[in-house]
Amino acid sequence: MNPQTRRWLLAPARQWRTYRLMRQHGTSLDYGIAWALIALRDAPGEFDFVQLAAREAGDAERGGLHHDDWNLLTSIERDRRSRWFTRHGKSPIERLGLSDDLLARAGLRVVDWGRPGD
């Protein structure tokens, strides 16, 4: 199957996983970054496509994994994240298993959850 046909057939599943990641992570993760993360996890062969999209978005020079500040979060968000960490042990982005080096090479600037005390 050629790559274009495969991408077209798998688009609904990828879009569903993208929205699920956005829902799990919270409001700080936009659709473009979530889609790129899912694409890198599900189809590593599309790295060049993701890299080109990141370059066009203008984030290529600041790529990599960054963490937000736990102390700046609302108490509701801290409670939500604490429950998530208790249940899953890792943030939704950490659960994807993508390395910081891969994100930096792709030019993706990803803001993941900071942990208490970081």
Side-chain angles (χ1 to χ4, degrees), residues 36-109:
L37 292 171
I38 295 298
L40 286 174
R41 189 202 64 193
D42 291 349
E46 293 188 8
F47 176 83
D48 293 336
F49 182 71
V50 171
Q51 188 178 39
L52 180 64
R55 193 174 298 137
E56 288 177 358
D59 286 339
E61 67 277 353
R62 298 176 298 157
L65 188 64
H66 307 276
H67 293 93
D68 59 9
D69 188 354
W70 180 269
N71 297 320
L72 298 178
L73 301 172
T74 65
S75 61
I76 294 170
E77 182 64 13
R78 275 187 252 145
D79 291 342
R80 183 180 83 83
R81 291 183 185 188
S82 292
R83 285 191 309 273
W84 179 275
F85 281 132
T86 301
R87 182 172 183 178
H88 299 285
K90 295 179 179 180
S91 74
I93 292 178
E94 290 172 336
R95 292 181 73 200
L96 294 175
L98 301 172
S99 71
D100 184 31
D101 180 55
L102 178 70
L103 298 175
R105 285 188 297 123
L108 295 173
R109 185 178 193 281

Side-chain angles (χ1 to χ4, degrees), residues 14-15 18 30-40 46 49-50 53:
R14 184 175 291 171
Q15 188 173 22
T18 299
D30 69 1
Y31 180 84
I33 297 295
W35 179 88
L37 292 171
I38 295 298
L40 286 174
E46 293 188 8
F49 182 71
V50 171

